[in-house]
Amino acid sequence: MTMTPIVALQKPKDISLDEIESELHNIWRQQDSGVATPMATRATTFTMVIYEPEEVQQVLAALGHYAGFIDGNHGPQTRDALRQAQVAYELRVTGRVDPPTLARIRQEYAQLSESQKQYANLDQRGFSLSESISAHNPCRIISLCPTFGEDTGVTAQVSVYCPVQKRSSGNLICCEYINLRGTKAALERVSDLVASLTLPELPKFVWWKATPSPEQLIFQSLAKTSNCIIVDSSYFSDAEAELQKMQELIEAGTYIADLNWHRLAPWQELTAAAFDPPERREALIDVDRISIDYEQGNAAQALLYLGWFASRLNWQPIAYVEEGGIYNIKKIHFKGPNDLAVEAELAAIPVADSGEVIGDLTGLRLLSTNTNANCCTILCSETSGCMRMEAGGGAQACQVEQVTALSDQKADFMLGQQLQRWGEDMLYEESLAMVAQIMNLL
């Protein structure tokens, strides 16, 4: 792989479009001089803007709980730092960014002096090109990396990566990589510059790796100029509220793709297969009890699955009850066709270590209060087993299936899948609309 040095344009003012384009021009001119072999050519697939998450690791670093790189990945080191902070501030220890934890670490950070807010952690955001993106030959990737501290303007680092080689010609196919750094306020100020850097003749994707902020100017600007904003609701700190925001964006004409939605595919496929036989298909309309277990910390998958199932059966949500308890039980009451009274239960199951994806489904049960209906179905993940669901199945004979999770559920892998199939997903939009109806009952 041939790579040019990263060119840093460090100036105490916002970088200009002309300066960035000039640096890119110089890099390509060096490639075209014949010194670099094999020949490098520009990819022409799509432009992608990546908004890197910034806040949690930087706050934890300033507070002395996090010693790793600022890389935006909530891996084991970040979860350990969150646990440390939760112990220090007498919060429930989850290792996750829940709303109480986020509010408290923000409060603690705000009380620090300017000198205490400095940290030595190396910021690596924007310097590693995900294979899931580079494999699709984008033309240009623009990374936005918000920083803390004094606003000294926006700086840019420009480079060219050549990860793919054409076998026939021996040419390298290269992607332009533009890394913009500055405070949130500074990046907001250059939102027009970011829009200008996207290439008008190519599809434009935005991979928003943080909790989306529709009120941010830069988010609004990117939403207007992109073909698709890609999010991952497993990152959301308050899934219920943020899913409502996603629905509002869709209603406003923004195309949203949620990577977390695609993690439900094995559960949806097995549910559909369970009711494929004619004698069971007829009993589907008798389902009036649904229980969904998910890993504690993020209810997005559970809500999206419920939204999907309820929208398929034309259920209308009429009441939402938070019972709480160890499983943080939530009950949603629906009115089905022919005034059928339906009850859904969501249970957040505590797990020792949730891994990178927070809130995965662990089990679900569909049944009917009509004892003659042949519809009892239990699905459970291979890792958690079916014991809890089978214990509550009642006297009905239940069809039990184990769900094999997708081979790789990490966001980068899911992103690669999404880039192959982008387009309006009516099923997702209808399911999300149902989730929004449920949330409106609160």
Side-chain angles (χ1 to χ4, degrees):
M1 170 171 149
T2 299
M3 190 184 299
T4 63
I6 289 177
V7 181
L9 310 174
Q10 303 292 353
K11 300 196 176 182
K13 64 181 181 66
D14 294 338
I15 205 72
S16 72
L17 179 64
D18 288 345
E19 287 171 299
I20 293 172
E21 294 290 3
S22 173
E23 288 299 329
L24 284 170
H25 178 72
N26 289 339
I27 291 172
W28 284 109
R29 192 174 59 194
Q30 291 166 18
Q31 291 284 355
D32 292 340
S33 66
V35 176
T37 55
M39 189 71 171
T41 58
R42 287 182 175 183
T44 55
T45 316
F46 58 85
T47 303
M48 174 168 278
V49 179
I50 304 176
Y51 185 90
E52 296 279 356
E54 86 299 342
E55 183 177 23
V56 172
Q57 287 178 335
Q58 291 181 75
V59 169
L60 290 171
L63 291 169
H65 299 296
Y66 180 67
F69 295 132
I70 307 299
D71 57 12
N73 297 320
H74 282 206
Q77 247 187 314
T78 308
R79 291 198 291 272
D80 285 345
L82 283 163
R83 290 187 190 99
Q84 279 183 37
Q86 287 163 339
V87 169
Y89 308 133
E90 298 181 345
L91 299 166
R92 191 163 64 90
V93 180
T94 62
R96 303 185 189 97
V97 191
D98 48 49
T101 301
L102 190 57
R104 184 59 186 272
I105 63 173
R106 281 174 174 168
Q107 179 187 341
E108 294 292 330
Y109 178 82
Q111 293 171 7
L112 298 177
S113 67
E114 287 306 312
S115 61
Q116 288 174 320
K117 288 179 179 177
Q118 306 304 313
Y119 53 84
N121 307 54
L122 189 64
D123 190 343
Q124 286 197 330
R125 291 171 301 158
F127 289 114
S128 58
L129 185 62
S130 164
E131 287 183 14
S132 62
I133 300 172
S134 63
H136 294 280
N137 276 142
C139 181
R140 182 174 284 182
I141 291 181
I142 304 155
S143 287
L144 309 179
C145 302
T147 58
F148 278 14
E150 185 184 354
D151 182 352
T152 56
V154 174
T155 59
Q157 288 164 303
V158 182
S159 54
V160 171
Y161 289 80
C162 307
V164 181
Q165 188 165 343
K166 281 184 180 175
R167 291 177 184 172
S168 56
S169 63
N171 286 357
L172 293 169
I173 303 174
C174 301
C175 167
E176 297 170 348
Y177 207 49
I178 302 167
N179 194 328
L180 299 178
R181 268 182 166 68
T183 61
K184 269 188 178 179
L187 290 174
E188 295 261 308
R189 204 165 53 233
V190 299
S191 57
D192 288 344
L193 165 68
V194 177
S196 299
L197 285 169
T198 62
L199 300 167
E201 68 275 13
L202 296 177
K204 302 172 191 65
F205 295 101
V206 175
W207 170 204
W208 194 273
K209 293 174 73 173
T211 296
S213 305
E215 63 280 3
Q216 275 185 258
L217 287 177
I218 199 153
F219 186 95
Q220 293 169 12
S221 172
L222 292 171
K224 285 176 188 170
T225 57
S226 71
N227 296 88
C228 173
I229 290 188
I230 300 169
V231 300
D232 185 343
S233 57
S234 76
Y235 289 174
F236 294 175
S237 56
D238 184 350
E240 289 88 341
E242 305 304 336
L243 286 174
Q244 278 186 292
K245 286 184 185 178
M246 295 304 96
Q247 173 62 16
E248 290 165 10
L249 286 166
I250 287 173
E251 288 176 356
T254 306
Y255 173 49
I256 300 286
D258 184 352
L259 303 182
N260 211 22
W261 163 255
H262 298 295
R263 296 189 181 104
L264 293 176
W267 295 84
Q268 293 168 322
E269 288 164 9
L270 264 184
T271 303
F275 291 97
D276 266 350
E279 66 276 9
R280 295 199 101 230
R281 195 175 308 157
E282 291 175 5
L284 187 57
I285 60 169
D286 291 313
V287 173
D288 58 12
R289 294 291 180 271
I290 175 170
S291 301
I292 303 173
D293 286 3
Y294 62 97
E295 291 179 354
Q296 202 168 76
N298 186 303
Q301 281 192 30
L303 287 166
L304 286 169
Y305 180 93
L306 178 60
W308 169 72
F309 196 83
S311 64
R312 296 306 88 200
L313 294 184
N314 295 316
W315 294 349
Q316 293 304 313
I318 54 174
Y320 186 112
V321 181
E322 296 200 50
E323 294 189 356
I326 189 172
Y327 293 139
N328 192 24
I329 297 289
K330 299 178 176 69
K331 288 191 176 175
I332 300 99
H333 298 272
F334 297 87
K335 185 167 73 172
N338 301 320
D339 290 333
L340 181 72
V342 180
E343 181 182 279
E345 178 185 271
L346 306 186
I349 308 301
V351 290
D353 188 354
S354 62
E356 189 167 319
V357 178
I358 299 172
D360 277 334
L361 294 193
T362 60
L364 65 91
R365 182 178 60 243
L366 306 167
L367 48 82
S368 175
T369 51
N370 175 3
T371 54
N372 295 320
N374 177 20
C375 62
C376 186
T377 304
I378 293 174
L379 306 183
C380 52
S381 70
E382 289 178 321
T383 51
S384 63
C386 297
M387 189 177 299
R388 180 178 134 76
M389 282 301 175
E390 287 181 312
Q396 297 180 43
C398 292
Q399 182 171 325
V400 181
E401 303 280 355
Q402 285 198 327
V403 178
T404 304
L406 298 170
S407 57
D408 191 339
Q409 293 196 315
K410 291 182 179 179
D412 280 358
F413 178 81
M414 305 300 291
L415 177 63
Q417 300 289 306
Q418 178 62 43
L419 291 173
Q420 295 178 51
R421 62 180 170 221
W422 73 281
E424 190 170 11
D425 187 338
M426 294 301 296
L427 204 55
Y428 167 69
E429 292 185 2
E430 289 170 8
S431 304
L432 186 63
M434 176 62 73
V435 173
Q437 284 184 51
I438 292 169
M439 292 299 103
N440 286 337
L441 294 170
L442 282 174

